[in-house]
Every structure is written in structure tokens, then in C-alpha cells.
Amino acid sequence: MKKETKTTVDCVVVTYNRLKLLKECLAALENQTYRISNLYVVDNNSTDNTLAYLKGFSKEYKNLKIIHLNKNLGGAGGFNKGIKKFIENSDSDFAWIMDDDTIPNNDALEKLMDKVNSVSNLGFLASNIVWQDGTPAIMNIPTVSSNWNQNITKGLVQIKSASFVSILFPRKVIEKVGLPITDFFIWGDDVEYTLRISQAGYRGYLVNDSIAEHKIAKNIGVDIVNEENSNRIKRYYYSRRNAIFTERNRMSKAQLVKWLVKCCLVEPAKILAKAPNRKMLRIRTTYKGTIAGFFFNPKIETVKGNKANGNKKAQ
């Protein structure tokens, strides 16, 4: 039985050409023990009949809001558009967001919502993300705060950043810090956004018993050295560029120099020694992304709800 409560939650899912996974994700959302008020699905201009499926699905799921983009804006742009629509068109208290390959346990949202009043100054709550065998999903391991165990008896680990794979944001926090950066396109938008929230003085936590599976083929992280698919190598430009932007205003000069040595000397050496193919392309991509990161200054968009929404306070 779904848990009825006054605190309302909308869900934002971003999808691109993964209809089979999207169907599994949507089924998991339908079966949540904590009722979702509105479901926003951002279709990043998919070419696999995703839009047609969503239109059919909306006839049964009346609270589905389809956001079809005429251009693929990447995960970053998709989350930007979905969260913006949530703020502008809904009066729900929280936004729960994820990619289409996120399969949350049926009680994942309920476990998150059980913790929203357990701490003060809440910035975000992240689920415990696992791979198909139950081990931690390497790509989604959060950055732990120095005082990580302050609320450990409540089943909460304090973290500074997390991924957009089953993560809950209060409305008031989004209105305070703005939206994810569309220009990131892919990779690092979640880290930048959750770090931005943490730096604004809010607190983020991993909720130990809120479980979601990140349904990826292999349990690996973002790693240009060992990437096996040569068609994905050029994507690492975004990873490096976005990381440089995120870190350059957060690191001391000494830390930044040390990090640059790693990017420009240590990593290329590892590529030459260990990469399975396209070694020079990997090195060029690393250097290109590093240089671009120092000139990359994307706009951070702000967003406010309408008058009706503005009168409703987030819990």
C-alpha cells in the first residue's frame, strides 16, 4: 500500500535512446511505496520510439508530464529542463531525480522521505547506489565530508557531492542555488551541482537503506585510461573540461598545480602504458579538455516558482 502523506514529491527522469531501460525505470517508479505526485520525463530527442511510448503511457499514468526536447542536450541539459519545469509548474515540496537506467527499490523514495526531518539545513539526500550484484556502483560513489559520521546513528552519512542517480532535492534549495549547468552536456554536472549546494551551506547525506540499482553493463567509473569502447573516448573531453571548471575555484593554487601535473603528465603516461587502443586520441582528448576547462565559464541559471508555488514552503 502506498504511503499517504502531506509532503509531496515529484520525480524527474532524463532519457535518451534507452527505451527498454526507461520502461523498467518507470515500472519501479509506479511501484513506489511513497506516492509520486507528478512524473516528469525529459526525452532528449530520442530516435527509438521513446516519445510514442510515453504518449501511450500517459493515457494510463495521468500525472506524467512529457518534456520532449528537439535537440539532445545531454544529461546536464535534460536535468536542467526537467528541474526547471518542476519549479515553474508544480507546488510539490521535493524533486527526486534520476537517469533512465536507475532502478530504485520499491521503498527507495519512502526511505529518503523518512529522513527529511532528521537533520537541519538539508541540501540533498542521495540513495545508496549499487550494481547488479549488490556491490557499490563505482561510478556513483559520493564524496564524503570530513564529519561524515555525525549522523551515522540515524543511518545517514554526510557527503559533499553525489550523482544524479536517485537523489532528492528540496524545492527551496533549488530556488536558492539555481539549476544544473546545461553547457556541461555530460559528466560532472551532478558533482558541480551538489558541491554548489554544499558550498551554499546546506548539508547532503547518503541514506544507507534507500537502495537503487544503476543498471550499467559493467561496474566501472569514468576512466579514459581503461575505456574499452573507442567510440566513447572523445566524450572524455567533457569530463576533463567540466572537472577543471568545478575545481579551479575550489582548490588552492598548490592543489590545482598538483592536479594539473596529474592531468598533463601522470595520466598521459598511464595511457601510453596501459590504454588498450587509440592512445594518441586519448592523450589529445585529455589535453584538449584540460585547456578548455580554464576558459569555460558557463552560466548558472536561476529559477523561481509562480506565485502559487512561491507561497508553499519546502519541508
Side-chain angles (χ1 to χ4, degrees):
M1 180 179 293
K2 294 185 185 299
K3 186 176 180 179
E4 296 297 332
T5 174
K6 293 180 180 179
T7 305
T8 50
V9 182
D10 288 359
C11 184
V12 177
V13 178
V14 175
T15 188
Y16 176 66
N17 280 349
R18 292 194 293 204
L19 182 54
K20 183 178 179 180
L21 282 170
L22 176 63
K23 290 178 180 180
E24 191 171 350
C25 175
L26 295 180
L29 296 178
E30 280 192 285
N31 290 325
Q32 288 299 303
T33 55
Y34 194 107
R35 187 176 66 85
I36 296 169
S37 295
N38 297 292
L39 172 58
Y40 296 89
V41 178
V42 184
D43 174 21
N44 240 327
N45 199 26
S46 298
T47 58
D48 63 350
N49 294 317
T50 290
L51 181 58
Y53 171 77
L54 288 172
K55 287 179 178 178
F57 184 71
S58 66
K59 295 176 182 178
E60 300 177 12
Y61 196 98
K62 300 302 181 182
N63 291 333
L64 173 64
K65 318 294 182 183
I66 303 169
I67 305 171
H68 177 71
L69 305 181
N70 294 321
K71 178 182 179 182
N72 180 9
L73 299 179
F79 285 119
N80 175 288
K81 299 302 182 186
I83 295 172
K84 184 176 182 179
K85 189 70 72 173
F86 156 74
I87 292 292
E88 293 179 342
N89 292 272
S90 173
D91 63 355
S92 289
D93 303 297
F94 289 87
W96 185 32
I97 75 171
M98 64 191 71
D99 279 310
D100 52 9
D101 58 356
T102 304
I103 315 299
N105 283 9
N106 291 354
D107 63 353
L109 179 56
E110 181 179 350
K111 296 297 186 181
L112 291 175
M113 295 306 297
D114 283 345
K115 303 299 184 183
V116 297
N117 294 317
S118 297
V119 293
S120 60
N121 216 24
L122 178 65
F124 59 89
L125 292 174
S127 291
N128 185 357
I129 309 304
V130 299
W131 194 52
Q132 60 187 9
D133 62 356
T135 58
I138 294 173
M139 185 180 290
N140 309 112
I141 295 174
T143 303
V144 178
S145 300
S146 57
N147 54 342
W148 62 273
N149 62 346
Q150 191 171 14
N151 287 283
I152 198 70
T153 57
K154 299 177 182 179
L156 297 170
V157 177
Q158 190 163 340
I159 56 179
K160 295 187 290 185
S161 66
S163 63
F164 284 170
V165 180
S166 186
I167 188 167
L168 188 76
F169 296 110
R171 165 185 290 278
K172 66 179 181 181
V173 171
I174 298 169
E175 292 186 332
K176 176 69 175 181
V177 305
L179 299 169
I181 300 174
T182 295
D183 288 342
F184 266 47
F185 191 66
I186 58 170
W187 289 342
D189 50 309
D190 44 12
V191 172
E192 188 281 329
Y193 191 64
T194 47
L195 280 175
R196 196 194 317 165
I197 290 171
S198 296
Q199 287 197 309
Y202 296 101
R203 295 171 184 164
Y205 295 92
L206 171 72
V207 180
N208 182 57
D209 59 356
S210 174
I211 308 295
E213 178 187 347
H214 193 185
K215 201 158 189 178
I216 50 180
K218 293 185 177 181
N219 192 14
I220 56 176
V222 177
D223 181 4
I224 194 172
V225 176
N226 296 304
E227 175 63 59
E228 296 178 356
N229 185 349
S230 61
N231 293 325
R232 289 169 53 92
I233 292 173
K234 290 185 178 180
R235 292 187 181 187
Y236 284 84
Y237 163 82
Y238 298 106
S239 174
R240 179 52 45 78
R241 182 199 64 178
N242 298 344
I244 292 284
F245 169 81
T246 300
E247 298 298 338
R248 72 186 194 211
N249 294 319
R250 293 177 168 88
M251 287 183 171
S252 66
K253 289 184 178 179
Q255 288 174 320
L256 190 56
V257 168
K258 185 177 180 180
W259 201 61
L260 284 173
V261 169
K262 176 184 175 182
C263 294
C264 297
L265 295 178
V266 176
E267 190 170 74
K270 288 183 178 179
I271 289 172
L272 289 173
K274 299 180 180 180
N277 53 43
R278 308 297 298 277
K279 294 184 179 184
M280 294 312 298
L281 176 60
R282 293 170 197 258
I283 291 173
R284 287 197 303 271
T285 300
T286 293
Y287 284 140
K288 185 178 178 182
T290 300
I291 294 169
F294 283 95
F295 298 95
F296 183 49
N297 292 293
K299 178 183 177 182
I300 294 176
E301 296 177 67
T302 58
V303 63
K304 296 290 183 183
N306 58 39
K307 290 183 180 179
N309 295 339
N311 291 329
K312 185 160 185 175
K313 304 262 187 199
Q315 297 295 314

